[in-house]
Amino acid sequence: MDDRELIAAAREVAVNAYAPYSGFRVGAVVVDAGGGVHRGANVENSAYPSTVCAEAAAIAAAASEGARAIDTVAVACIDADEPGYPCGNCRQMMVEFGVRRVLVGTPDGGYVEHTLDELIPHGFKFAD
Ligand code: THU
């Protein structure tokens, strides 16, 4: 999948988001180091802190299928009128799996590309 297709796929999975409280549907597509593709959408909860972000769901799906390194995360919100940037917790989850770059969807279906280091400089990791 090329980058535009990744963002299109993130917008598609966002349709499956369970977001009755915020109305903010987010989709994420993760490409692991072997080229495997994994998807996730946000899943909200009446107990608000139990909500799972789209990127967290996609990263958990990738890890659950055996991925230990992730190259690219594409994320898109289909209800916002500006780019939906990953929250701090999701950025830290990306650090764990060595994400190289993040594509952040824009309302017109385009995207802005960032390195993970731009989004979370000095992210936490135990020394190897
Ligand atoms: N959300 C994500 O899915 N990813 C983020 O990085 C930020 C926020 C979701 C969580 C919640 O369902 C909704 O957006 C509003 O915070």
Side-chain angles (χ1 to χ4, degrees):
M1 271 197 226
D2 68 21
D3 290 353
R4 288 201 72 85
E5 289 170 331
L6 288 174
I7 285 294
R11 296 180 67 88
E12 263 173 44
V13 72
V15 172
N16 295 331
Y18 176 70
Y21 306 110
S22 71
F24 194 85
R25 293 171 295 170
V26 185
V29 176
V30 157
V31 183
D32 68 37
V37 175
H38 314 272
R39 295 169 173 79
N42 54 328
V43 180
E44 297 187 345
N45 194 281
S46 301
Y48 296 167
S50 299
T51 290
V52 177
C53 286
E55 303 93 314
I59 291 168
S64 301
E65 289 161 29
R68 291 295 178 267
I70 293 173
D71 184 74
T72 301
V73 175
V75 59
C77 175
I78 56 173
D79 298 307
D81 53 11
E82 55 190 53
Y85 273 81
C87 74
N89 186 60
C90 290
R91 295 179 196 203
Q92 177 60 34
M93 287 185 73
M94 293 178 201
V95 169
E96 186 70 23
F97 293 94
V99 169
R100 188 171 62 88
R101 64 197 192 115
V102 182
L103 310 177
V104 181
T106 52
D108 60 1
Y111 61 91
V112 185
E113 179 173 345
H114 291 277
T115 64
L116 185 61
D117 204 50
E118 286 172 336
L119 298 183
I120 180 168
H122 310 291
F124 177 76
K125 269 207 106 172
F126 285 120
D128 293 323

